[in-house]
């Protein structure tokens, strides 16, 4: 039975949009498959890991009968990738096996019935619905997502707090040692809502959203959130938990304020980081009038030192930080300048952008 | 082949002469029926009466520790609580209170660390100490062990036993010799005779099944084992053969390693007769998971888990491991993995192991890094 004919690229693009969330090893075999649903000249592709589901469609696929089937996502993707760019692909279904044909290449793949494929149903459209340009959301995610925890026992930290209040969209991520906060303005006013997006959903959005003004529509309802952009619909479950009170840990009145050119500070930290090791990433930061020294030493008694001239008058400070946390914020901001607010050697450091209240990064010190 | 077997033993025995040229002094310290001792310390009314600490019989619990009065009735650790109560109906069965045990354990570790930094804890109540070169007590490990036991009695209020020997293996065997509240020394010149007389069951890694197999081969003591060449032992027992060859000669070069991060925790059992099919394996899983639960609860600071796994050894001695991501021990996942692993071969199953792997501690997660939310840990 002929399923469809298509060019390679018309099929591969949509497949790659959904296959990123397919788990390589899962206790449920069908979850390594992608669902293909053919209707008229439209092919719907859907993949899920039960926590997230992504659906998209390929148009302009020709011929064949309407049907639905599931097949190994990774295998199909590898086959399509390995075929020439311009190849014409034919998919046929015979005896529960899917045949992929292109020129003289032919692959027969095992399938599982579409009826057995688990699906998340989009919630009834009752919750909060937000529209925001894709690039705004994408940029905001990039400002905070690197601060999420990975596999922390405090499971609610393995995600990102997203809040809507009035016309503000806020995002917060923290791993318990550092915290990133970013805010953007929405068009229109919204009721207050806050949810924790799972890490995997955040990463997937970061990968798939475009740098465009095209809209992203977000619907919050119950324990699910739906993101619609372009042909893609991403449904994700939410993390059920209480996110820590982030406002309490963002310092308000740190007395020492230092303005740095971001690039030279980044370069100096990267060089000092060379003599730290994976286990101990601590660097000493020594502030005196007019100068900031960054020093690292390692177990072999080697030492790196950098000195930056700064415009600072006031009392000195000797404080330690995990250099990775400092590099993270510098890597994920793009302004020329960055402002560092300090207090004493037991207090956090606050990073902000000049003339801008919409971004804050807090990092706790290390004892060195 | 013939030549290799002649050469190999000497090559293998090499480290005895160079790597560990200086004689070491190792103490193995082990509290006497630790959990039960803490309970009796805190409630003197329990003294002199048969007492066990463990899970309730109704929940298919097992005895973790019992005192000597209970042992007189045949009760022992790892026995099901139901059976223990049948053997000794007046047995007092208490649920474990790990908070108090851990507090005592910290006190005991502090005592050990007064003598040497080379302390390797094996559990809450058991540790190896390397006191080679320690000057206290005129450098006598025997006197140090006596002093440590005295301090545990004075400061913690329970008794401990100790074994003193040139290596970990013999020290551990020796601590059992004069238990409870006693100690036993095996001097370097006595090692040879001491080990020769040891039943093979005392060797670390020789359980009931292996001991029965050895018995069929006419091996009862370590002395019997010495007549076997390294090649023969390796042939019979695989890589374990080389360890046996050394252990039965009293050779054990393992250093006393102060705590290193644990990478995994597992329990496994070799079955007296092979399990024929998945159903039998699934049945065998429940007691394993219970045992795992006990071990897991005894970890002092369980690190965060990132995987669970099931290990299978088939009757042809081939083995396979099935694992998947998980954030904690999970009976359902173990059951699925068991299914996966057993179905990889259609053979009888000789051994099942279940366990968890721990996440690599994040580089930033050390004690030096201050936390944003200290109250939540």
């Amino acid at each position: 039975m002929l399923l469809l004919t298509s060019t390679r690229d018309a099929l591969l693009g949509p497949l790659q949009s959904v296959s990123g969330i397919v788990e390589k090893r899962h206790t449920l075999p069908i979850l390594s498959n992608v669902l293909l649903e053919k209707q008229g000249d439209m092919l719907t592709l859907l993949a899920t890991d039960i926590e997230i589901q992504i659906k998209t469609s390929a148009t302009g696929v020709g011929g064949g009968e309407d049907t639905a089937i599931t097949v190994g996502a990774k295998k199909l993707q590898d086959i399509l990738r390995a075929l020439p760019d311009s190849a014409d692909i034919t998919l046929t279904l015979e005896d529960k096996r899917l045949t992929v044909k292109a020129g003289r290449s032919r692959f027969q793949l095992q399938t599982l019935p579409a009826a057995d494929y688990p699906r998340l149903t989009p919630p009834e459209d009752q919750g909060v619905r937000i529209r925001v340009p894709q690039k705004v959301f994408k940029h905001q995610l990039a400002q905070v997502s690197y601060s999420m925890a990975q596999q922390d026992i405090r499971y609610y930290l393995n995600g990102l707090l997203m809040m809507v209040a009035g016309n503000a969209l806020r995002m917060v991520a923290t791993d318990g040692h550092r915290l990133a906060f970013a805010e953007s303005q929405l068009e229109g006013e919204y009721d207050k809502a806050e949810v924790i997006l799972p890490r995997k959903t955040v990463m997937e959005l970061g990968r798939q959203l475009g740098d465009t003004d095209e809209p992203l529509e977000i619907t919050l309802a119950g324990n699910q959130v739906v993101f619609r952009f372009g042909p893609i619909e991403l449904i994700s479950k939410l993390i059920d938990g209480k996110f820590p009170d982030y406002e309490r840990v963002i310092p308000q009145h740190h007395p020492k304020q230092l303005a740095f050119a971001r690039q030279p500070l980044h370069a100096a930290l990267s060089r000092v980081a060379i003599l730290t090791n994976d286990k101990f990433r601590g660097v000493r930061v020594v502030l005196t009038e007019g100068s900031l020294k960054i020093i690292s030493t390692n177990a072999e008694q080697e030492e790196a030192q950098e000195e930056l001239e700064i415009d600072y008058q006031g009392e000195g400070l000797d404080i330690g930080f995990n250099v990775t946390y400092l590099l993270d914020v510098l890597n994920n901001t793009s302004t020329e300048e960055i402002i560092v607010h300090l207090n004493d050697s037991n207090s956090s450091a606050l990073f902000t952008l000049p003339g801008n209240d919409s971004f804050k990064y807090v990092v706790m010190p290390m004892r060195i | 082949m013939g030549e290799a077997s002649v050469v190999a033993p000497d090559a293998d025995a090499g480290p005895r002469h160079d790597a560990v040229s200086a004689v070491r002094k190792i103490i193995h310290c082990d509290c006497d029926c630790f959990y039960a001792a803490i309970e009796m310390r805190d409630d003197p009314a329990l003294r002199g009466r048969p007492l066990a600490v463990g899970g309730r019989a109704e929940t298919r619990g097992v005895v973790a520790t019992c005192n000597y009065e209970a042992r007189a009735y045949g009760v022992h650790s790892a026995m099901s609580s139901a059976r223990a109560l049948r053997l000794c109906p007046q047995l007092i069965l208490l649920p474990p209170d790990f908070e108090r045990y851990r507090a005592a354990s910290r006190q005991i570790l502090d005592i050990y660390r007064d003598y040497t930094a080379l302390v390797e804890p094996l559990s809450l109540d058991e540790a190896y100490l390397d006191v080679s070169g320690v000057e206290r007590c005129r450098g006598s490990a025997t006197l140090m062990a006596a002093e440590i036991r005295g301090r545990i009695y004075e400061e913690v209020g329970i008794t401990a036993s100790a074994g003193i020997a040139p290596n970990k293996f013999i020290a551990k065997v020796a601590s059992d010799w004069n238990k409870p509240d006693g100690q036993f020394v095996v001097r370097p010149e006595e090692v040879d005779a001491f080990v020769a007389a040891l039943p093979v069951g005392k060797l670390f890694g020789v359980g009931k099944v292996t001991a029965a197999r050895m018995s069929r081969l006419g091996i009862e003591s370590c002395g019997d084992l010495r007549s076997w060449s390294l090649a023969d032992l390796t042939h019979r027992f695989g890589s374990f053969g080389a360890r046996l060859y050394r252990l039965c000669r009293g050779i054990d070069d393992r250093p006393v390693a102060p705590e290193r991060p644990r990478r995994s925790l597992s329990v496994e059992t070799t079955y007296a007769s092979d399990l024929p099919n998945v159903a039998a394996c699934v049945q065998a899983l429940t007691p394993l998971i219970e045992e795992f639960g006990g071990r897991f609860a005894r970890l002092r600071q369980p690190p965060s888990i990132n995987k669970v796994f099931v290990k299978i050894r088939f009757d042809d001695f081939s083995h396979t491991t099935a694992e998947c991501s998980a954030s904690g021990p999970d009976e359902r996942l173990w059951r699925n993995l068991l299914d996966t692993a057993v179905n990889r071969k259609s053979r009888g199953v000789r051994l099942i192991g279940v366990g968890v792997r721990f996440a690599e501690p994040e580089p930033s997660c050390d004690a030096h890094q201050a936390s944003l939310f200290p109250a939540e840990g």
Side-chain angles (χ1 to χ4, degrees), chain A residues 314-360:
Chain A
E315 61 176 319
L317 176 66
D318 192 334
I319 187 170
F321 288 107
N322 179 330
V323 71
T324 310
Y325 294 159
L326 305 183
L327 287 169
D328 276 352
V329 64
L330 298 172
N331 279 327
N332 288 286
T333 46
S334 48
T335 50
E336 289 278 309
E337 231 184 28
I338 194 155
I339 321 275
V340 183
H341 310 247
L342 294 164
N343 182 15
D344 58 34
S345 63
N346 296 316
S347 305
S348 61
L350 170 69
F351 289 70
T352 56
L353 306 178
N356 183 338
D357 257 356
S358 67
F359 175 78
K360 294 185 169 78

Side-chain angles (χ1 to χ4, degrees), chain A residues 102-283:
Chain A
R104 295 188 173 184
S105 309
R106 190 161 159 273
F107 305 85
Q108 286 192 310
L109 302 174
Q110 296 289 359
T111 65
L112 288 167
D116 294 351
Y117 202 74
R119 300 178 70 151
L120 296 176
T121 37
E124 300 291 320
D125 284 358
Q126 291 168 343
V128 182
R129 186 181 285 190
I130 307 154
R131 278 166 81 92
V132 54
Q134 288 188 38
K135 69 175 183 192
V136 170
F137 197 86
K138 185 186 170 106
H139 175 66
Q140 204 177 339
L141 276 183
Q143 282 187 305
V144 302
S145 59
Y146 56 89
S147 291
M148 288 186 289
Q150 298 185 41
Q151 301 188 326
D152 199 290
I153 326 173
R154 295 162 291 177
Y155 58 94
Y156 46 84
L157 297 186
N158 305 324
L160 182 147
L161 179 72
M162 182 174 88
M163 273 172 305
V164 192
N167 67 346
L169 174 66
R170 301 196 184 106
M171 294 184 189
V172 184
T174 178
D175 63 3
H177 301 312
R178 44 80 181 267
L179 176 146
F181 165 94
E183 184 175 285
S184 66
Q185 303 308 313
L186 296 167
E187 289 190 10
E189 292 275 323
Y190 295 91
D191 288 341
K192 193 169 167 12
E194 63 177 71
V195 297
I196 306 173
L197 304 177
R199 185 182 169 84
K200 194 169 171 183
T201 303
V202 172
M203 303 313 270
E204 203 54 35
L205 286 169
R207 201 168 70 86
Q208 302 227 24
L209 287 172
D211 285 308
T212 71
D213 289 314
E214 296 293 308
L216 163 68
E217 185 190 281
I218 307 168
T219 308
L220 301 172
N223 68 339
Q224 288 189 349
V225 55
V226 186
F227 296 91
R228 293 194 180 87
F229 50 103
I232 296 174
E233 177 196 80
L234 186 158
I235 306 178
S236 169
K237 290 192 183 163
L238 295 167
I239 295 181
D240 183 19
K242 173 138 179 44
F243 205 82
D245 180 2
Y246 71 93
E247 282 175 321
R248 194 168 52 86
V249 301
I250 297 177
Q252 303 294 333
H253 307 290
H254 275 5
K256 305 180 177 65
Q257 291 200 12
L258 316 168
F260 290 94
R262 193 176 57 88
Q263 277 299 347
L265 179 61
H266 183 269
L269 284 166
S270 310
R271 286 190 293 264
V272 168
I274 295 168
L275 292 192
T276 62
N277 63 44
D278 289 347
K279 285 217 168 61
F280 185 74
R281 300 284 284 163
V283 297

Side-chain angles (χ1 to χ4, degrees), chain B residues 209-283:
Chain B
V209 174
T210 312
R213 222 162 113 220
M214 288 181 169
S215 179
R216 283 197 295 278
L217 296 167
I219 305 171
E220 303 289 347
S221 70
C222 288
D224 299 336
L225 206 51
R226 286 184 194 171
S227 61
W228 287 63
S229 74
L230 177 64
D232 288 341
L233 284 176
T234 314
H235 178 70
R236 287 272 179 186
F237 301 100
S239 60
F240 186 49
R243 284 255 302 287
L244 283 175
Y245 183 86
R246 297 156 64 84
L247 286 178
C248 74
R249 287 166 175 73
I251 307 170
D252 175 16
D253 300 333
R254 290 173 302 156
V256 171
E259 272 201 281
R260 31 168 198 250
R262 217 179 227 293
R263 302 309 317 277
S264 67
L265 176 73
S266 63
V267 296
E268 56 184 53
T269 302
T270 304
Y271 298 98
S273 55
D274 297 337
L275 305 175
N277 51 35
V278 176
C281 291
V282 168
Q283 271 212 324

Side-chain angles (χ1 to χ4, degrees), chain B residues 19-28 112 114-119 128-142 144-145 148 163-168 171 188 252-257:
Chain B
V20 209
S21 49
V23 174
R24 294 184 298 161
K25 293 178 185 172
I26 311 292
I27 302 175
H28 176 258
Y112 295 157
D114 276 353
Y115 294 80
T116 173
L118 289 177
V119 176
Y128 289 115
L129 286 69
D130 185 337
V131 294
S132 321
V134 174
E135 313 244 315
R136 288 182 76 137
C137 303
R138 290 177 279 124
S140 159
T142 310
M144 280 185 253
I148 288 170
I164 303 102
N167 65 44
K168 282 163 68 165
D252 175 16
D253 300 333
R254 290 173 302 156
V256 171

